[in-house]
Amino acid sequence: MKIIAIGRNYAEHIAELQNERPEEPVIFMKPDTALLRHNEPFYHPAFSNDIHHEVELVLRVCKEGKYIDAKFAGNYYDAIGIGIDFTARDLQNKLKAKGLPWEIAKGFNGSAPISDTFIPKENFQDVKNINFDLQVNGTQRQQGNTSLMLFDFDYIITYVSQFFTLRKGDLIFTGTPKGVAAVQVGDKLRASIEGQNLLEFEIK
Ligand code: MG
């Protein structure tokens, strides 16, 4: 399986990092070794002093497809979970400044904790109006709603599938809202969709 992620998909997050607003989705990938499941702790790596949390909704791909037409895009994911796109911001900024790929700042071990539970798509009245949030040590740090995405789920599926064949079991991180910040050893993170806690783990 592969993990595909969308960058710069919420305007206020683009502004907080002083990035340019993209005309097409910004795509990157993480290896499957980035996955962290079952609320396992995240071990803060020594190579960074600035690991940021980015809470994101995650689509679970349910069938193989490429060059997917927009009107069928919704058939290619069947459930939505929540995850953290951990980012070594210090490394990323250094690489970005040199115009180099920032893979290692995004794809390192454990950089993709995800919820064990994925909510079936049909349980949502409107996938363009889903609330999600992240609490750190009991305080809300990030809060998002899918109505604020620059590129919606269907557009992401269509766009990504022009370049990468999607396969059953692939995961797509769909971008983070504003409020990203560094995590510290000892922090407890809790991510929820519509108030339902789905992911809870500690930084060690
Ligand atoms: Mg992200």
Side-chain angles (χ1 to χ4, degrees):
M1 59 84 62
K2 56 187 172 296
I3 305 165
I4 295 162
I6 312 302
R8 306 182 191 175
N9 203 19
Y10 286 82
E12 289 177 323
H13 170 62
I14 296 169
E16 75 181 345
L17 293 186
Q18 297 175 326
N19 280 322
E20 204 173 299
R21 192 181 168 123
E23 282 169 16
E24 292 290 3
V26 174
I27 310 290
F28 59 93
M29 299 222 255
K30 293 179 185 247
D32 58 3
T33 45
L35 278 182
L36 207 55
R37 297 181 192 267
H38 319 310
N39 292 331
E40 283 168 358
F42 171 79
Y43 288 90
H44 197 298
F47 56 71
S48 171
N49 295 314
D50 199 22
I51 301 281
H52 278 197
H53 56 72
E54 296 190 355
V55 69
E56 311 197 2
L57 293 179
V58 182
L59 307 181
R60 186 176 71 191
V61 174
C62 60
K63 67 173 179 174
E64 183 161 326
K66 55 184 165 183
Y67 307 114
I68 297 165
D69 194 282
K71 61 178 180 288
F72 302 122
N75 299 336
Y76 287 81
Y77 71 97
D78 65 349
I80 299 166
I82 198 159
I84 309 292
D85 165 22
F86 274 129
T87 305
R89 196 71 70 200
D90 43 2
L91 276 184
Q92 188 193 33
N93 286 340
K94 218 182 278 180
L95 293 162
K96 267 166 70 177
K98 293 181 183 166
L100 293 170
W102 26 264
E103 237 72 12
I104 56 169
K106 285 285 197 181
F108 54 87
N109 293 332
S111 63
I114 57 163
S115 55
D116 285 335
T117 300
F118 274 62
I119 301 171
K121 192 174 73 177
E122 59 267 22
N123 289 19
F124 295 96
Q125 276 188 349
D126 181 4
V127 294
K128 293 184 181 183
N129 182 18
I130 300 175
N131 291 297
F132 60 105
D133 81 323
L134 174 72
Q135 294 195 0
V136 179
N137 303 325
T139 303
Q140 190 174 80
R141 281 270 192 90
Q142 289 190 267
Q143 200 267 325
N145 183 287
T146 52
S147 64
L148 300 171
M149 292 193 300
L150 302 185
F151 305 105
D152 66 17
F153 294 157
D154 287 359
Y155 191 90
I156 290 169
I157 296 265
T158 297
Y159 183 80
V160 167
S161 74
Q162 294 180 63
F163 307 97
F164 307 123
T165 299
L166 294 176
R167 290 216 168 113
K168 188 175 177 175
D170 287 348
L171 298 171
I172 304 177
F173 280 67
T174 58
T176 198
K178 69 172 175 180
V180 301
V183 294
Q184 312 296 336
V185 172
D187 282 350
K188 291 187 173 64
L189 275 60
R190 192 167 74 187
S192 4
I193 299 178
E194 295 293 353
Q196 189 183 343
N197 295 333
L198 296 173
L199 174 66
E200 199 162 3
F201 64 99
E202 190 177 349
I203 312 292
K204 287 196 170 173

